Amino acid sequence: MRSTHSRRATATGALIAAAALLAVGVQTGAASAAPDAGNATTASASKANPGALAKQLSPSQRAELIREATASTAATAKELGLGSQEKLVVKDVVQDNDGTTHTRYERTFDGLPVLGGDLVVQESKAGATESVVKASRATTSQLKAVDTVADITPAAASKQALGAAKAAGSNKAEADKAPRKVVWMASGTPQLAYETVVGGLQEDGTPNALHVITDASTGAKLYEWQAIENGVGNTEYSGQVTLGTSGSSGSYNLTDTARGSHKTYNLNHGTSGKGTLFSGADDVWGDGKGTSTETAAADAHYGAAETWDYYKNVHGRNGIKGDGVGAYSRVHYGNNYVNAFWDDSCFCMTYGDGSGNAHPLTALDVAAHEMSHGVTSNTAGLNYSGESGGLNEATSDIFGSAVEFYANNSTDVGDYLIGEKIDINGDGTPLRYQDKPSRDGTSPDAWYSGIGNIDVHYSSGPANHFFYLLSEGSGAKTINGVSYNSPTSDGLPVTGIGRAKAEQIWFKALSTKFTSTTNYAGARTGTLAVAGELYGTTSAEYKAVQDAWAGINVGARSGGTDPTDPGDGTVFENKTAVSIPDGGSAVTSAVTVTGRTGKAPSTLKVGVDITHTYRGDLVIDLVAPDGSTYRLKNSNISDSADNVKATYTVNASSETANGTWKLKVQDVYRGDTGKINSFKLTF
């Protein structure tokens, strides 16, 4: 959408640009060519105590904490006053930056699982217990009174559970597994019970996972819960789909408890507040037509679920912020509102009903586009202006397409077209084209020096084009029945590496390399750095990234030289070893560059040789003579390999070449050691 200056640049991100529509806020200021100047942050009224924030544990560190906790479970149980028949089982360990440890335990009694007996013990860095949070207030004396001999048979419990499942619509003839004896503690007084799980399908074809708790003395049902809480959505754009809902027979609502309790609300043509949570008696939502109020809700709810699943299953990100908390969706915004948007202030997606309130903007790729604005806001925080704004919009288009392919929905197949289902142009054409952005009549196919001066929905074109080229390559082809013909700015071909790798590279760059001011040159540097980390700087993938950027007029082709670089291959190197403190402060290795004229190259090669027993612990930066910092490598808790032997490419064209350059390395976790063997710059 067109911009005003009434709110922060990262606050909202809308789908389209149109002068007559509500504007998003934009932060003014020139974009920087620096690929990374440190971790991007979002402005807030107050800052959390850094010592109380969760520490990123490497797999080896977490495993060691779990091992230590497991080795001391008997002592912990005794300290907590548990009885001799009770044992603790470590489920998880979380550690804060200040060393405070939170250990989550499950409990057994005489070898039986105690459902509702889990607890969390908080210990100081010195090992002193500070607090204990229990799932149940039942005392140890009550547990001692539990008789572990059942009065009814497992078959009787199974029969009772099957009856409950049948009442819920299941035709399952037997339980998936034999009932297991448990101590049921979640309702208060502990008692012996059977837990039976009935699977199969519910009456409408939804998978069934009904857990039934049966009193082992009387055979009475104590409790039951459906592990799969789904409704049916008759969407306008994606056909009939399964929705995550909450409630029980006669009273359901659009709350997806499996995805951070994401909720979908009806604004009923209002423009403020949350509106009313969609609810109903039959757990069926919409009729597939735009005239039904629930249909748009079904589309939006489905889109949010697929986007959540995509980020979690493909990129390991649990929710928009990575904290497992869901956003919410609002549909039926305003009257004749032909747009959709993300807003940080409400942490929500909002959808208009389109022209004549007849075409809600709730298609799958639109929902993924808006939700991805939230991800961008909580990672790179790309300013919604200039080149960074174009990259922000392109990121939402990229992941909008990615989610569409991921969903594999036969009614809305994956493609590289944006908004093709909502017919916003009134002639059946999409809103944007990733293979050749200029097909929309406004977006450029390639970067040029003034691109930051046009609307961000159009300056996104080259980045969309880069993603398509990296995924599929140039030239004519047909994918899922859609014809594409992607050109390149230099007329040379590009060979794609596949969409999955392209998505991986873009997301890792977004979350670890891009900052609020990253521009096209910085995006090239960031994606090349990621490609180098993932695949190596001599790999086909690394070269494809170079070629795809060159295909939109950003940087040189692989194996070629950039005419803007003055470099002649001169190497400046420091081979003096520098020890890296374990979990300590940063250390540096320096080289002094002399005899150069003008600026450093836009493809400055930074050679790093580090010996380390767990390289995921390391954060590595290049520090320019004026103190500017370029992130080469972030810490990564899942990167358990040894050593860092790599050449990174940095766009240092804004820096004076001569002067003292430093490689700064910090080990941010404890348990592993290493040293810098050498550091070199190639000009």
Side-chain angles (χ1 to χ4, degrees):
M1 298 173 59
R2 297 293 183 194
S3 60
T4 66
H5 300 275
S6 60
R7 57 175 68 180
R8 292 187 300 113
T10 55
T12 63
L15 180 70
I16 64 173
L21 300 181
L22 180 68
V24 311
V26 175
Q27 180 178 349
T28 59
S32 168
D36 197 334
N39 294 326
T41 57
T42 302
S44 60
S46 61
K47 292 185 178 181
N49 175 7
L53 296 176
K55 178 181 179 181
Q56 278 195 332
L57 297 172
S58 67
S60 63
Q61 290 170 324
R62 180 176 180 274
E64 177 60 18
L65 288 173
I66 291 176
R67 187 197 66 76
E68 292 173 357
T70 300
S72 60
T73 51
T76 302
K78 183 177 181 181
E79 180 185 1
L80 296 176
L82 303 186
S84 60
Q85 292 175 283
E86 296 179 79
K87 296 186 183 300
L88 295 175
V89 179
V90 179
K91 182 179 181 180
D92 195 19
V93 178
V94 176
Q95 191 174 69
D96 295 341
N97 288 325
D98 63 7
T100 301
T101 302
H102 312 265
T103 305
R104 184 176 299 277
Y105 298 92
E106 293 182 336
R107 199 186 319 189
T108 64
F109 177 78
D110 199 23
L112 300 177
V114 180
L115 303 184
D118 51 297
L119 51 89
V120 180
V121 177
Q122 176 179 309
E123 293 182 333
S124 68
K125 184 177 181 180
T129 299
E130 296 179 331
S131 67
V132 180
V133 179
K134 298 180 180 179
S136 172
R137 295 185 178 182
T139 65
T140 297
S141 60
Q142 288 178 310
L143 272 174
K144 289 179 180 178
V146 175
D147 183 0
T148 58
V149 178
D151 294 324
I152 67 168
T153 64
S158 181
K159 182 179 179 180
Q160 194 270 340
L162 285 167
K166 183 177 181 180
S170 174
N171 59 1
K172 189 77 170 178
E174 59 182 342
D176 279 12
K177 296 180 181 178
R180 67 167 183 168
K181 275 202 297 188
V182 300
V183 174
W184 177 248
M185 195 171 173
S187 297
T189 303
Q191 59 191 115
L192 187 67
Y194 286 103
E195 179 191 27
T196 309
V197 181
V198 183
L201 298 175
Q202 298 178 44
E203 191 171 20
D204 62 357
T206 299
N208 190 64
L210 186 70
H211 291 243
V212 180
I213 305 298
T214 305
D215 190 320
S217 297
T218 66
K221 184 180 72 175
L222 297 174
Y223 198 80
E224 72 174 55
W225 72 91
Q226 177 60 260
I228 301 175
E229 204 49 83
N230 290 326
V232 173
N234 294 304
T235 71
E236 181 172 358
Y237 304 114
S238 298
Q240 188 173 87
V241 297
T242 299
L243 300 179
T245 62
S246 296
S248 56
S249 180
S251 179
Y252 296 94
N253 63 77
L254 287 183
T255 301
D256 193 341
T257 56
R259 299 173 179 87
S261 291
H262 176 276
K263 301 176 188 293
T264 300
Y265 294 89
N266 181 10
L267 277 173
N268 194 28
H269 303 298
T271 57
S272 63
K274 281 187 175 180
T276 304
L277 180 65
F278 277 92
S279 60
D282 56 6
D283 212 11
V284 176
W285 309 90
D287 60 6
K289 301 176 183 178
T291 52
S292 168
T293 303
E294 289 184 349
T295 298
D299 272 298
H301 205 68
Y302 170 70
E306 289 296 324
T307 306
W308 177 287
D309 290 351
Y310 167 77
Y311 278 109
K312 183 175 182 179
N313 297 332
V314 176
H315 300 298
R317 187 172 186 83
N318 193 9
I320 289 174
K321 289 185 176 180
D323 60 0
V325 177
Y328 63 88
S329 298
R330 305 184 301 175
V331 298
H332 305 306
Y333 177 92
N335 273 295
N336 302 310
Y337 182 68
V338 191
N339 217 328
F341 60 89
W342 162 267
D343 192 333
D344 274 341
S345 66
C346 67
F347 199 65
C348 69
M349 291 80 71
T350 303
Y351 305 91
D353 285 334
S355 179
N357 291 327
H359 297 284
L361 278 77
T362 49
L364 177 57
D365 59 350
V366 176
H369 174 105
E370 302 308 339
M371 199 161 166
S372 293
H373 274 305
V375 174
T376 297
S377 176
N378 287 281
T379 52
L382 290 161
N383 288 338
Y384 208 62
S385 179
E387 291 191 23
S388 60
L391 293 171
N392 189 318
E393 272 297 311
T395 295
S396 283
D397 283 351
I398 286 167
F399 292 123
S401 291
V403 170
E404 201 173 68
F405 278 104
Y406 170 84
N408 196 27
N409 185 298
S410 60
T411 304
D412 186 3
V413 298
D415 53 49
Y416 293 96
L417 309 174
I418 307 302
E420 75 283 356
K421 283 284 188 177
I422 57 178
D423 193 22
I424 205 165
N425 297 321
D427 58 4
T429 59
L431 183 61
R432 287 188 286 276
Y433 305 79
Q434 292 182 300
D435 67 317
K436 188 177 181 182
S438 61
R439 290 173 67 189
D440 68 8
T442 308
S443 298
D445 292 332
W447 179 89
Y448 62 93
S449 61
I451 197 170
N453 298 322
I454 66 174
D455 187 276
V456 296
H457 298 85
Y458 306 135
S459 62
S460 63
N464 272 319
H465 193 190
F466 161 81
F467 175 74
Y468 177 87
L469 288 171
L470 185 61
S471 299
E472 306 292 349
S474 58
K477 52 181 61 68
T478 300
I479 303 166
N480 281 352
V482 179
S483 296
Y484 303 96
N485 193 357
S486 191
T488 60
S489 62
D490 58 6
L492 299 176
V494 171
T495 301
I497 60 174
R499 188 180 58 259
K501 289 181 178 179
E503 292 171 18
Q504 180 188 54
I505 288 171
W506 192 265
F507 182 80
K508 185 173 174 62
L510 176 75
S511 57
T512 69
K513 307 298 182 186
F514 295 177
T515 69
S516 60
T517 58
T518 294
N519 59 9
Y520 271 90
R524 178 183 186 273
T525 299
T527 51
L528 280 172
V530 167
E533 292 173 6
L534 293 175
Y535 303 105
T537 57
T538 60
S539 66
E541 290 82 0
Y542 187 90
K543 294 176 181 178
V545 172
Q546 289 178 303
D547 291 346
W549 281 117
I552 63 161
N553 195 34
V554 180
R557 286 260 171 177
S558 58
T561 58
D562 187 339
T564 66
D565 286 349
D568 57 9
T570 302
V571 176
F572 299 86
E573 186 172 13
N574 186 340
K575 293 184 178 181
T576 302
V578 179
S579 295
I580 304 171
D582 182 23
S585 57
V587 295
T588 61
S589 175
V591 297
T592 299
V593 176
T594 60
R596 311 301 301 173
T597 58
K599 301 293 186 179
S602 63
T603 54
L604 177 63
K605 305 297 182 184
V606 185
V608 178
D609 184 345
I610 294 175
T611 301
H612 197 273
T613 50
Y614 202 103
R615 70 185 184 194
D617 291 357
L618 301 180
V619 175
I620 306 175
D621 294 304
L622 174 68
V623 182
D626 67 355
S628 298
T629 301
Y630 297 81
R631 179 59 49 86
L632 303 179
K633 176 190 175 300
N634 273 322
S635 58
N636 184 341
I637 61 173
S638 63
D639 186 0
S640 61
D642 295 337
N643 311 326
V644 179
K645 299 180 185 296
T647 299
Y648 300 94
T649 302
V650 171
N651 180 4
S653 58
S654 64
E655 306 292 342
T656 299
N658 287 340
T660 299
W661 296 73
K662 297 178 181 178
L663 183 75
K664 183 171 73 173
V665 181
Q666 183 175 13
D667 184 339
V668 296
Y669 305 119
R670 294 196 178 277
D672 300 275
T673 59
K675 64 179 180 179
I676 302 172
N677 297 312
S678 68
F679 157 50
K680 67 180 179 180
L681 297 175
T682 303
F683 281 80

